[in-house]
Amino acid sequence: MAGPILQSPSSFNESLRSDVANEDRISTSLDSVAPLEVSESLVPVREMKQAGTICVSLDGLLRRPIFIKEDLKEGCGGQLWPAGLLLAQYMVHEHRASLLGKTIIELGAGSGLVGLAVARGCSTNSPIFITDQECMLPLMKDNVNTNDLSSNARAIVLDWGSPLPDCIPYGSTVVLAADCVYFEPAFPLLISTLQQLLSPGSVCYFCFKRRRRADLRFMKQAKKIFDVAEIRGYMDHDNFARENLFLYSIRPRSAKNNITLLPNPC
Ligand SMILES: C[S@@+](CC[C@H](N)C(=O)[O-])C[C@H]1O[C@@H](n2cnc3c(N)ncnc32)[C@H](O)[C@@H]1O
């Protein structure tokens, strides 16, 4: 059986292009999770898949690569998505040394690539929470163990819109979310979880591939509640933008924006 293949972000755009050319669009398991409008950009990083395991080095940023097992049984999270690769690369490149003392939580982690890449490639001093729905828990745990990262990463269930698990401490949090905008009824649930997690001093790095106008509606809703800024200028930004991949920071509104102006009593 062939071993895992090594894929770096600089070549995954090529993969996406050839995916589209192959008309290898979207798995039925994704259809069963969410009624998506099928567009040519709705493609996972399918070219990279071989023997169910993908080896990700992030262009050599990870001295020891991450091995990601894929499993499509439980839906779309069981395979890698381009926004996950971008967010993993961005975090390891730009935040290698800035996460100390933070609680790090990945939402909608699927196979767990982003959290695992951060656990391996960034300096952290507490385990990263890799979270998703119950059905993804075995795959997330499997990938934590496969990469010998059980002291640096912990797979747990976090269902958007539900109360946060007790093990997540309150405080300065870095939230990671890749390709979590794809199912409109889940938008308010995701917003509610971000509201619970983003206390002052916290930030969410939010990466998604824009596929439909509804995806922008999510950002519009988020902008009403949080301080949202597009992150540009990181490595390969222009190439990613051409693939409709966008990266944002989402922060709690700064105090000045929260002030309600009372009518002047005079
Ligand atoms: C398109 S996949 C992206 C997976 C991974 N972040 C990546 O980039 O490869 C979206 C993920 O969001 C998760 N998800 C969807 N709805 C959710 C919810 N209500 N609560 C928690 N996770 C959810 C799915 O299970 C899935 O793993």
Short mmCIF file of all heavy atoms in Angstrom, two decimals, residues 194-258:
data_model
loop_
_atom_site.label_atom_id
_atom_site.label_comp_id
_atom_site.label_asym_id
_atom_site.label_seq_id
_atom_site.Cartn_x
_atom_site.Cartn_y
_atom_site.Cartn_z
N LEU A 194 -18.75 31.95 20.09
CA LEU A 194 -17.69 32.97 20.08
C LEU A 194 -17.94 33.99 21.19
O LEU A 194 -17.01 34.43 21.87
CB LEU A 194 -17.62 33.66 18.71
CG LEU A 194 -17.07 32.79 17.56
CD1 LEU A 194 -17.20 33.51 16.22
CD2 LEU A 194 -15.61 32.40 17.81
N GLN A 195 -19.21 34.35 21.40
CA GLN A 195 -19.51 35.30 22.48
C GLN A 195 -19.11 34.74 23.84
O GLN A 195 -18.61 35.45 24.70
CB GLN A 195 -21.00 35.65 22.49
CG GLN A 195 -21.37 36.63 21.39
CD GLN A 195 -22.86 36.95 21.39
OE1 GLN A 195 -23.69 36.06 21.20
NE2 GLN A 195 -23.20 38.20 21.60
N GLN A 196 -19.33 33.44 24.00
CA GLN A 196 -18.96 32.82 25.29
C GLN A 196 -17.44 32.77 25.47
O GLN A 196 -16.94 32.88 26.57
CB GLN A 196 -19.51 31.39 25.36
CG GLN A 196 -21.03 31.30 25.44
CD GLN A 196 -21.46 29.83 25.47
OE1 GLN A 196 -21.27 29.15 26.46
NE2 GLN A 196 -22.01 29.35 24.38
N LEU A 197 -16.73 32.57 24.36
CA LEU A 197 -15.28 32.34 24.47
C LEU A 197 -14.46 33.62 24.46
O LEU A 197 -13.36 33.66 25.02
CB LEU A 197 -14.80 31.45 23.31
CG LEU A 197 -15.17 29.98 23.39
CD1 LEU A 197 -14.84 29.27 22.08
CD2 LEU A 197 -14.42 29.31 24.54
N LEU A 198 -14.97 34.65 23.78
CA LEU A 198 -14.12 35.82 23.57
C LEU A 198 -14.30 36.85 24.69
O LEU A 198 -15.11 37.77 24.60
CB LEU A 198 -14.40 36.44 22.20
CG LEU A 198 -14.02 35.56 21.01
CD1 LEU A 198 -14.37 36.23 19.68
CD2 LEU A 198 -12.53 35.22 21.04
N SER A 199 -13.54 36.67 25.74
CA SER A 199 -13.52 37.67 26.82
C SER A 199 -12.48 38.73 26.44
O SER A 199 -11.71 38.53 25.49
CB SER A 199 -13.14 36.98 28.14
OG SER A 199 -11.93 36.30 27.97
N PRO A 200 -12.42 39.86 27.17
CA PRO A 200 -11.43 40.88 26.81
C PRO A 200 -10.02 40.28 26.75
O PRO A 200 -9.64 39.47 27.59
CB PRO A 200 -11.55 41.90 27.96
CG PRO A 200 -12.97 41.73 28.43
CD PRO A 200 -13.29 40.27 28.28
N GLY A 201 -9.28 40.65 25.73
CA GLY A 201 -7.92 40.12 25.56
C GLY A 201 -7.88 38.86 24.71
O GLY A 201 -6.81 38.34 24.41
N SER A 202 -9.06 38.37 24.33
CA SER A 202 -9.11 37.14 23.52
C SER A 202 -9.21 37.50 22.04
O SER A 202 -9.58 38.61 21.67
CB SER A 202 -10.34 36.31 23.89
OG SER A 202 -10.29 35.95 25.23
N VAL A 203 -8.89 36.53 21.22
CA VAL A 203 -9.01 36.74 19.77
C VAL A 203 -9.37 35.41 19.11
O VAL A 203 -8.98 34.35 19.59
CB VAL A 203 -7.69 37.30 19.18
CG1 VAL A 203 -6.51 36.38 19.43
CG2 VAL A 203 -7.82 37.59 17.68
N CYS A 204 -10.12 35.50 18.04
CA CYS A 204 -10.38 34.31 17.22
C CYS A 204 -9.73 34.55 15.85
O CYS A 204 -9.96 35.59 15.22
CB CYS A 204 -11.89 34.10 17.05
SG CYS A 204 -12.28 32.79 15.86
N TYR A 205 -8.92 33.60 15.40
CA TYR A 205 -8.42 33.62 14.03
C TYR A 205 -9.37 32.75 13.22
O TYR A 205 -9.52 31.55 13.51
CB TYR A 205 -6.97 33.15 13.96
CG TYR A 205 -6.06 34.10 14.68
CD1 TYR A 205 -5.49 33.78 15.91
CD2 TYR A 205 -5.83 35.37 14.15
CE1 TYR A 205 -4.69 34.68 16.58
CE2 TYR A 205 -5.03 36.29 14.83
CZ TYR A 205 -4.47 35.94 16.04
OH TYR A 205 -3.69 36.85 16.71
N PHE A 206 -10.02 33.37 12.27
CA PHE A 206 -11.17 32.77 11.60
C PHE A 206 -10.89 32.72 10.11
O PHE A 206 -10.73 33.75 9.47
CB PHE A 206 -12.39 33.65 11.90
CG PHE A 206 -13.69 33.03 11.56
CD1 PHE A 206 -14.39 32.31 12.51
CD2 PHE A 206 -14.23 33.17 10.29
CE1 PHE A 206 -15.61 31.73 12.19
CE2 PHE A 206 -15.44 32.60 9.97
CZ PHE A 206 -16.13 31.88 10.92
N CYS A 207 -10.81 31.54 9.56
CA CYS A 207 -10.42 31.40 8.17
C CYS A 207 -11.51 30.63 7.42
O CYS A 207 -12.01 29.61 7.93
CB CYS A 207 -9.10 30.61 8.13
SG CYS A 207 -8.40 30.55 6.50
N PHE A 208 -11.88 31.12 6.29
CA PHE A 208 -12.89 30.37 5.53
C PHE A 208 -12.73 30.59 4.04
O PHE A 208 -12.10 31.55 3.60
CB PHE A 208 -14.32 30.73 5.98
CG PHE A 208 -14.77 32.09 5.57
CD1 PHE A 208 -15.61 32.26 4.48
CD2 PHE A 208 -14.37 33.22 6.26
CE1 PHE A 208 -16.04 33.52 4.10
CE2 PHE A 208 -14.78 34.48 5.89
CZ PHE A 208 -15.63 34.63 4.80
N LYS A 209 -13.27 29.65 3.32
CA LYS A 209 -13.29 29.76 1.86
C LYS A 209 -14.67 30.27 1.48
O LYS A 209 -15.69 29.64 1.82
CB LYS A 209 -13.04 28.38 1.23
CG LYS A 209 -12.96 28.43 -0.27
CD LYS A 209 -12.39 27.13 -0.79
CE LYS A 209 -12.47 27.05 -2.29
NZ LYS A 209 -11.34 27.69 -2.96
N ARG A 210 -14.70 31.42 0.79
CA ARG A 210 -16.00 31.97 0.44
C ARG A 210 -16.57 31.21 -0.74
O ARG A 210 -15.96 31.09 -1.79
CB ARG A 210 -15.86 33.46 0.10
CG ARG A 210 -17.20 34.16 0.20
CD ARG A 210 -17.12 35.58 -0.25
NE ARG A 210 -16.88 35.65 -1.66
CZ ARG A 210 -16.16 36.58 -2.26
NH1 ARG A 210 -15.56 37.51 -1.54
NH2 ARG A 210 -15.99 36.59 -3.56
N ARG A 211 -17.74 30.65 -0.51
CA ARG A 211 -18.37 29.83 -1.55
C ARG A 211 -19.67 30.43 -2.03
O ARG A 211 -20.10 30.22 -3.14
CB ARG A 211 -18.65 28.43 -1.00
CG ARG A 211 -17.40 27.74 -0.54
CD ARG A 211 -17.71 26.44 0.17
NE ARG A 211 -16.47 25.76 0.46
CZ ARG A 211 -16.01 25.50 1.67
NH1 ARG A 211 -16.71 25.85 2.72
NH2 ARG A 211 -14.87 24.88 1.84
N ARG A 212 -20.36 31.11 -1.11
CA ARG A 212 -21.67 31.64 -1.45
C ARG A 212 -21.85 32.96 -0.76
O ARG A 212 -21.11 33.27 0.18
CB ARG A 212 -22.79 30.71 -0.94
CG ARG A 212 -22.48 29.28 -0.91
CD ARG A 212 -23.53 28.52 -0.16
NE ARG A 212 -23.37 28.60 1.28
CZ ARG A 212 -24.29 28.26 2.15
NH1 ARG A 212 -25.46 27.87 1.73
NH2 ARG A 212 -24.07 28.35 3.43
N ARG A 213 -22.87 33.69 -1.17
CA ARG A 213 -23.09 35.00 -0.55
C ARG A 213 -23.39 34.84 0.95
O ARG A 213 -23.06 35.68 1.76
CB ARG A 213 -24.23 35.72 -1.24
CG ARG A 213 -23.77 37.07 -1.72
CD ARG A 213 -24.79 37.74 -2.58
NE ARG A 213 -24.80 37.15 -3.91
CZ ARG A 213 -25.84 37.23 -4.73
NH1 ARG A 213 -26.94 37.82 -4.37
NH2 ARG A 213 -25.77 36.71 -5.93
N ALA A 214 -24.00 33.72 1.33
CA ALA A 214 -24.36 33.50 2.73
C ALA A 214 -23.14 33.55 3.64
O ALA A 214 -23.23 33.97 4.79
CB ALA A 214 -25.06 32.16 2.88
N ASP A 215 -21.98 33.14 3.11
CA ASP A 215 -20.78 33.14 3.95
C ASP A 215 -20.45 34.55 4.40
O ASP A 215 -20.00 34.78 5.52
CB ASP A 215 -19.59 32.54 3.18
CG ASP A 215 -19.87 31.12 2.75
OD1 ASP A 215 -20.80 30.51 3.31
OD2 ASP A 215 -19.17 30.62 1.85
N LEU A 216 -20.68 35.50 3.49
CA LEU A 216 -20.41 36.89 3.86
C LEU A 216 -21.44 37.40 4.87
O LEU A 216 -21.16 38.27 5.67
CB LEU A 216 -20.40 37.79 2.62
CG LEU A 216 -19.22 37.53 1.70
CD1 LEU A 216 -19.25 38.46 0.50
CD2 LEU A 216 -17.90 37.70 2.44
N ARG A 217 -22.65 36.79 4.81
CA ARG A 217 -23.66 37.18 5.80
C ARG A 217 -23.17 36.85 7.21
O ARG A 217 -23.44 37.55 8.17
CB ARG A 217 -25.00 36.49 5.53
CG ARG A 217 -25.81 37.21 4.46
CD ARG A 217 -27.29 36.91 4.59
NE ARG A 217 -27.64 35.59 4.11
CZ ARG A 217 -27.80 35.28 2.82
NH1 ARG A 217 -27.65 36.20 1.89
NH2 ARG A 217 -28.12 34.05 2.46
N PHE A 218 -22.42 35.75 7.33
CA PHE A 218 -21.87 35.41 8.65
C PHE A 218 -20.96 36.54 9.12
O PHE A 218 -21.05 37.00 10.25
CB PHE A 218 -21.08 34.09 8.62
CG PHE A 218 -20.45 33.81 9.95
CD1 PHE A 218 -21.17 33.16 10.94
CD2 PHE A 218 -19.16 34.24 10.25
CE1 PHE A 218 -20.61 32.94 12.20
CE2 PHE A 218 -18.59 34.03 11.49
CZ PHE A 218 -19.32 33.37 12.46
N MET A 219 -20.07 37.01 8.23
CA MET A 219 -19.14 38.06 8.63
C MET A 219 -19.92 39.34 8.98
O MET A 219 -19.55 40.06 9.89
CB MET A 219 -18.13 38.36 7.51
CG MET A 219 -17.18 37.22 7.18
SD MET A 219 -16.50 36.29 8.57
CE MET A 219 -15.63 37.52 9.50
N LYS A 220 -21.00 39.58 8.23
CA LYS A 220 -21.81 40.78 8.49
C LYS A 220 -22.41 40.70 9.91
O LYS A 220 -22.37 41.66 10.67
CB LYS A 220 -22.92 40.86 7.45
CG LYS A 220 -23.24 42.24 7.01
CD LYS A 220 -24.09 42.22 5.78
CE LYS A 220 -24.96 43.45 5.73
NZ LYS A 220 -25.94 43.39 4.65
N GLN A 221 -22.94 39.51 10.23
CA GLN A 221 -23.50 39.33 11.59
C GLN A 221 -22.41 39.51 12.64
O GLN A 221 -22.60 40.16 13.66
CB GLN A 221 -24.11 37.93 11.73
CG GLN A 221 -25.43 37.75 11.02
CD GLN A 221 -25.90 36.28 11.06
OE1 GLN A 221 -25.54 35.51 11.94
NE2 GLN A 221 -26.69 35.89 10.08
N ALA A 222 -21.25 38.89 12.37
CA ALA A 222 -20.15 38.96 13.35
C ALA A 222 -19.72 40.40 13.57
O ALA A 222 -19.43 40.80 14.70
CB ALA A 222 -18.98 38.10 12.87
N LYS A 223 -19.71 41.20 12.50
CA LYS A 223 -19.24 42.59 12.62
C LYS A 223 -20.17 43.43 13.49
O LYS A 223 -19.77 44.45 14.03
CB LYS A 223 -19.14 43.24 11.23
CG LYS A 223 -17.86 42.82 10.52
CD LYS A 223 -17.78 43.38 9.11
CE LYS A 223 -16.55 42.81 8.43
NZ LYS A 223 -16.52 43.01 7.00
N LYS A 224 -21.44 43.01 13.62
CA LYS A 224 -22.37 43.76 14.47
C LYS A 224 -22.04 43.55 15.95
O LYS A 224 -22.43 44.32 16.81
CB LYS A 224 -23.81 43.30 14.23
CG LYS A 224 -24.33 43.74 12.89
CD LYS A 224 -25.79 43.36 12.75
CE LYS A 224 -26.28 43.69 11.35
NZ LYS A 224 -27.37 42.85 10.91
N ILE A 225 -21.35 42.45 16.27
CA ILE A 225 -21.14 42.07 17.66
C ILE A 225 -19.68 42.21 18.09
O ILE A 225 -19.39 42.52 19.24
CB ILE A 225 -21.59 40.59 17.85
CG1 ILE A 225 -23.07 40.48 17.48
CG2 ILE A 225 -21.36 40.11 19.27
CD1 ILE A 225 -23.55 39.07 17.33
N PHE A 226 -18.77 41.95 17.16
CA PHE A 226 -17.34 41.91 17.50
C PHE A 226 -16.58 42.95 16.68
O PHE A 226 -17.09 43.50 15.71
CB PHE A 226 -16.76 40.52 17.16
CG PHE A 226 -17.49 39.36 17.79
CD1 PHE A 226 -18.32 38.54 17.04
CD2 PHE A 226 -17.32 39.08 19.14
CE1 PHE A 226 -18.97 37.46 17.62
CE2 PHE A 226 -17.97 38.01 19.73
CZ PHE A 226 -18.80 37.20 18.96
N ASP A 227 -15.31 43.15 17.07
CA ASP A 227 -14.39 43.89 16.20
C ASP A 227 -13.79 42.89 15.23
O ASP A 227 -13.08 41.96 15.65
CB ASP A 227 -13.26 44.53 17.03
CG ASP A 227 -13.71 45.79 17.73
OD1 ASP A 227 -14.77 46.35 17.33
OD2 ASP A 227 -13.06 46.21 18.69
N VAL A 228 -14.07 43.06 13.96
CA VAL A 228 -13.63 42.09 12.95
C VAL A 228 -12.68 42.79 11.99
O VAL A 228 -12.97 43.88 11.51
CB VAL A 228 -14.85 41.55 12.16
CG1 VAL A 228 -14.41 40.60 11.07
CG2 VAL A 228 -15.83 40.85 13.10
N ALA A 229 -11.54 42.18 11.72
CA ALA A 229 -10.60 42.77 10.76
C ALA A 229 -10.04 41.69 9.86
O ALA A 229 -9.68 40.61 10.33
CB ALA A 229 -9.46 43.47 11.50
N GLU A 230 -9.98 42.00 8.57
CA GLU A 230 -9.37 41.03 7.66
C GLU A 230 -7.86 41.08 7.84
O GLU A 230 -7.28 42.16 7.97
CB GLU A 230 -9.74 41.33 6.20
CG GLU A 230 -9.31 40.19 5.30
CD GLU A 230 -9.63 40.40 3.82
OE1 GLU A 230 -10.44 41.29 3.48
OE2 GLU A 230 -9.04 39.67 3.01
N ILE A 231 -7.23 39.92 7.87
CA ILE A 231 -5.77 39.86 7.99
C ILE A 231 -5.23 39.69 6.58
O ILE A 231 -5.64 38.79 5.84
CB ILE A 231 -5.33 38.68 8.89
CG1 ILE A 231 -5.97 38.82 10.28
CG2 ILE A 231 -3.82 38.59 8.97
CD1 ILE A 231 -5.72 37.63 11.19
N ARG A 232 -4.33 40.59 6.20
CA ARG A 232 -3.72 40.54 4.87
C ARG A 232 -2.22 40.57 5.03
O ARG A 232 -1.71 40.82 6.11
CB ARG A 232 -4.12 41.77 4.06
CG ARG A 232 -5.60 41.85 3.78
CD ARG A 232 -5.99 43.28 3.42
NE ARG A 232 -7.34 43.30 2.91
CZ ARG A 232 -7.64 43.23 1.63
NH1 ARG A 232 -6.70 43.16 0.73
NH2 ARG A 232 -8.90 43.21 1.23
N GLY A 233 -1.55 40.36 3.94
CA GLY A 233 -0.10 40.58 3.94
C GLY A 233 0.71 39.44 4.52
O GLY A 233 1.92 39.54 4.62
N TYR A 234 0.07 38.35 4.92
CA TYR A 234 0.86 37.19 5.38
C TYR A 234 1.39 36.46 4.16
O TYR A 234 1.01 36.76 3.01
CB TYR A 234 0.00 36.26 6.27
CG TYR A 234 -1.30 35.86 5.62
CD1 TYR A 234 -1.36 34.80 4.73
CD2 TYR A 234 -2.48 36.56 5.88
CE1 TYR A 234 -2.53 34.44 4.12
CE2 TYR A 234 -3.66 36.22 5.26
CZ TYR A 234 -3.68 35.16 4.38
OH TYR A 234 -4.84 34.81 3.76
N MET A 235 2.26 35.50 4.41
CA MET A 235 2.89 34.79 3.29
C MET A 235 1.82 34.23 2.34
O MET A 235 0.79 33.74 2.78
CB MET A 235 3.78 33.65 3.84
CG MET A 235 3.07 32.51 4.53
SD MET A 235 2.20 32.97 6.04
CE MET A 235 0.94 31.74 6.11
N ASP A 236 2.06 34.33 1.07
CA ASP A 236 1.16 33.77 0.06
C ASP A 236 -0.25 34.35 0.09
O ASP A 236 -1.19 33.74 -0.43
CB ASP A 236 1.05 32.24 0.18
CG ASP A 236 2.29 31.54 -0.35
OD1 ASP A 236 3.08 32.20 -1.03
OD2 ASP A 236 2.45 30.34 -0.07
N HIS A 237 -0.42 35.53 0.72
CA HIS A 237 -1.77 36.08 0.86
C HIS A 237 -2.49 36.18 -0.48
O HIS A 237 -3.65 35.79 -0.62
CB HIS A 237 -1.71 37.46 1.55
CG HIS A 237 -3.00 38.19 1.48
ND1 HIS A 237 -3.27 39.14 0.52
CD2 HIS A 237 -4.14 38.08 2.21
CE1 HIS A 237 -4.50 39.60 0.69
NE2 HIS A 237 -5.04 38.97 1.70
N ASP A 238 -1.78 36.70 -1.50
CA ASP A 238 -2.44 36.94 -2.78
C ASP A 238 -2.94 35.64 -3.41
O ASP A 238 -4.04 35.57 -3.95
CB ASP A 238 -1.49 37.65 -3.75
CG ASP A 238 -1.20 39.06 -3.26
OD1 ASP A 238 -1.92 39.54 -2.37
OD2 ASP A 238 -0.24 39.67 -3.77
N ASN A 239 -2.12 34.58 -3.29
CA ASN A 239 -2.54 33.29 -3.86
C ASN A 239 -3.77 32.76 -3.14
O ASN A 239 -4.70 32.25 -3.76
CB ASN A 239 -1.42 32.25 -3.72
CG ASN A 239 -0.29 32.54 -4.68
OD1 ASN A 239 -0.51 33.19 -5.70
ND2 ASN A 239 0.90 32.08 -4.35
N PHE A 240 -3.76 32.87 -1.82
CA PHE A 240 -4.92 32.37 -1.07
C PHE A 240 -6.17 33.18 -1.41
O PHE A 240 -7.25 32.63 -1.58
CB PHE A 240 -4.65 32.43 0.43
CG PHE A 240 -3.65 31.40 0.91
CD1 PHE A 240 -2.48 31.78 1.54
CD2 PHE A 240 -3.89 30.05 0.73
CE1 PHE A 240 -1.56 30.84 1.97
CE2 PHE A 240 -2.97 29.10 1.16
CZ PHE A 240 -1.80 29.49 1.78
N ALA A 241 -6.00 34.51 -1.51
CA ALA A 241 -7.16 35.36 -1.82
C ALA A 241 -7.73 34.99 -3.19
O ALA A 241 -8.95 34.99 -3.38
CB ALA A 241 -6.75 36.82 -1.77
N ARG A 242 -6.84 34.65 -4.13
CA ARG A 242 -7.33 34.22 -5.44
C ARG A 242 -8.19 32.97 -5.35
O ARG A 242 -9.06 32.73 -6.17
CB ARG A 242 -6.15 33.96 -6.39
CG ARG A 242 -5.81 35.18 -7.25
CD ARG A 242 -4.91 34.80 -8.41
NE ARG A 242 -3.58 34.44 -7.96
CZ ARG A 242 -2.62 35.33 -7.67
NH1 ARG A 242 -2.85 36.61 -7.80
NH2 ARG A 242 -1.44 34.93 -7.26
N GLU A 243 -7.94 32.15 -4.34
CA GLU A 243 -8.74 30.93 -4.13
C GLU A 243 -9.94 31.21 -3.24
O GLU A 243 -10.55 30.28 -2.69
CB GLU A 243 -7.89 29.83 -3.49
CG GLU A 243 -6.70 29.37 -4.32
CD GLU A 243 -7.10 28.63 -5.59
OE1 GLU A 243 -8.27 28.24 -5.71
OE2 GLU A 243 -6.23 28.46 -6.45
N ASN A 244 -10.23 32.51 -3.01
CA ASN A 244 -11.35 32.90 -2.16
C ASN A 244 -11.18 32.45 -0.71
O ASN A 244 -12.16 32.16 -0.02
CB ASN A 244 -12.68 32.37 -2.69
CG ASN A 244 -13.23 33.24 -3.78
OD1 ASN A 244 -12.91 34.44 -3.83
ND2 ASN A 244 -14.01 32.66 -4.66
N LEU A 245 -9.94 32.35 -0.27
CA LEU A 245 -9.68 32.00 1.14
C LEU A 245 -9.40 33.28 1.90
O LEU A 245 -8.54 34.07 1.51
CB LEU A 245 -8.47 31.07 1.22
CG LEU A 245 -8.75 29.63 0.79
CD1 LEU A 245 -7.48 28.92 0.40
CD2 LEU A 245 -9.45 28.87 1.91
N PHE A 246 -10.15 33.49 2.97
CA PHE A 246 -10.03 34.73 3.73
C PHE A 246 -9.73 34.44 5.19
O PHE A 246 -10.23 33.46 5.76
CB PHE A 246 -11.33 35.54 3.62
CG PHE A 246 -11.59 35.99 2.21
CD1 PHE A 246 -12.44 35.26 1.39
CD2 PHE A 246 -10.96 37.11 1.70
CE1 PHE A 246 -12.67 35.66 0.08
CE2 PHE A 246 -11.19 37.52 0.39
CZ PHE A 246 -12.03 36.79 -0.43
N LEU A 247 -8.95 35.32 5.76
CA LEU A 247 -8.55 35.16 7.16
C LEU A 247 -8.93 36.43 7.91
O LEU A 247 -8.65 37.54 7.42
CB LEU A 247 -7.03 34.94 7.17
CG LEU A 247 -6.32 34.72 8.48
CD1 LEU A 247 -6.91 33.52 9.23
CD2 LEU A 247 -4.83 34.46 8.23
N TYR A 248 -9.58 36.26 9.03
CA TYR A 248 -10.02 37.41 9.84
C TYR A 248 -9.58 37.24 11.28
O TYR A 248 -9.43 36.12 11.76
CB TYR A 248 -11.56 37.50 9.86
CG TYR A 248 -12.17 37.95 8.55
CD1 TYR A 248 -12.44 37.04 7.54
CD2 TYR A 248 -12.47 39.30 8.33
CE1 TYR A 248 -13.00 37.45 6.34
CE2 TYR A 248 -13.03 39.71 7.12
CZ TYR A 248 -13.29 38.79 6.14
OH TYR A 248 -13.84 39.20 4.96
N SER A 249 -9.42 38.38 11.96
CA SER A 249 -9.35 38.31 13.42
C SER A 249 -10.69 38.82 13.94
O SER A 249 -11.26 39.77 13.39
CB SER A 249 -8.19 39.17 13.96
OG SER A 249 -8.42 40.52 13.67
N ILE A 250 -11.18 38.14 14.96
CA ILE A 250 -12.46 38.53 15.58
C ILE A 250 -12.17 38.74 17.07
O ILE A 250 -11.67 37.83 17.74
CB ILE A 250 -13.53 37.42 15.40
CG1 ILE A 250 -13.73 37.14 13.90
CG2 ILE A 250 -14.83 37.82 16.06
CD1 ILE A 250 -14.78 36.06 13.61
N ARG A 251 -12.44 39.94 17.53
CA ARG A 251 -12.15 40.26 18.94
C ARG A 251 -13.41 40.81 19.59
O ARG A 251 -14.28 41.37 18.91
CB ARG A 251 -11.06 41.34 19.03
CG ARG A 251 -9.70 40.86 18.56
CD ARG A 251 -8.62 41.94 18.78
NE ARG A 251 -7.30 41.36 18.81
CZ ARG A 251 -6.58 41.07 17.73
NH1 ARG A 251 -7.05 41.33 16.53
NH2 ARG A 251 -5.39 40.51 17.85
N PRO A 252 -13.47 40.72 20.93
CA PRO A 252 -14.62 41.37 21.58
C PRO A 252 -14.55 42.86 21.31
O PRO A 252 -13.45 43.41 21.16
CB PRO A 252 -14.40 41.09 23.07
CG PRO A 252 -13.17 40.29 23.20
CD PRO A 252 -12.55 40.09 21.86
N ARG A 253 -15.70 43.49 21.24
CA ARG A 253 -15.73 44.94 21.00
C ARG A 253 -14.89 45.64 22.05
O ARG A 253 -15.00 45.34 23.24
CB ARG A 253 -17.17 45.44 21.13
CG ARG A 253 -17.98 45.26 19.88
CD ARG A 253 -17.87 46.54 19.05
NE ARG A 253 -18.27 46.30 17.67
CZ ARG A 253 -19.51 46.45 17.24
NH1 ARG A 253 -20.47 46.80 18.06
NH2 ARG A 253 -19.80 46.24 15.98
N SER A 254 -14.09 46.60 21.61
CA SER A 254 -13.31 47.34 22.59
C SER A 254 -14.25 48.23 23.39
O SER A 254 -15.34 48.59 22.93
CB SER A 254 -12.24 48.16 21.90
OG SER A 254 -12.84 48.92 20.89
N ALA A 255 -13.82 48.58 24.62
CA ALA A 255 -14.70 49.28 25.56
C ALA A 255 -15.32 50.51 24.91
O ALA A 255 -16.51 50.78 25.07
CB ALA A 255 -13.92 49.67 26.80
N LYS A 256 -14.53 51.23 24.09
CA LYS A 256 -15.07 52.48 23.53
C LYS A 256 -16.27 52.22 22.63
O LYS A 256 -17.19 53.00 22.57
CB LYS A 256 -13.99 53.28 22.81
CG LYS A 256 -13.47 52.72 21.52
CD LYS A 256 -12.54 53.75 20.89
CE LYS A 256 -11.75 53.30 19.70
NZ LYS A 256 -12.10 52.18 18.90
N ASN A 257 -16.28 51.05 22.00
CA ASN A 257 -17.42 50.75 21.12
C ASN A 257 -18.64 50.24 21.89
O ASN A 257 -19.71 50.12 21.35
CB ASN A 257 -17.02 49.69 20.09
CG ASN A 257 -16.02 50.23 19.13
OD1 ASN A 257 -15.97 51.43 18.92
ND2 ASN A 257 -15.22 49.36 18.55
N ASN A 258 -18.40 49.88 23.16
CA ASN A 258 -19.51 49.34 23.94
C ASN A 258 -20.29 50.42 24.69
O ASN A 258 -21.32 50.16 25.27
CB ASN A 258 -18.99 48.33 24.97
CG ASN A 258 -18.71 47.01 24.31
OD1 ASN A 258 -19.28 46.72 23.27
ND2 ASN A 258 -17.83 46.22 24.89
#
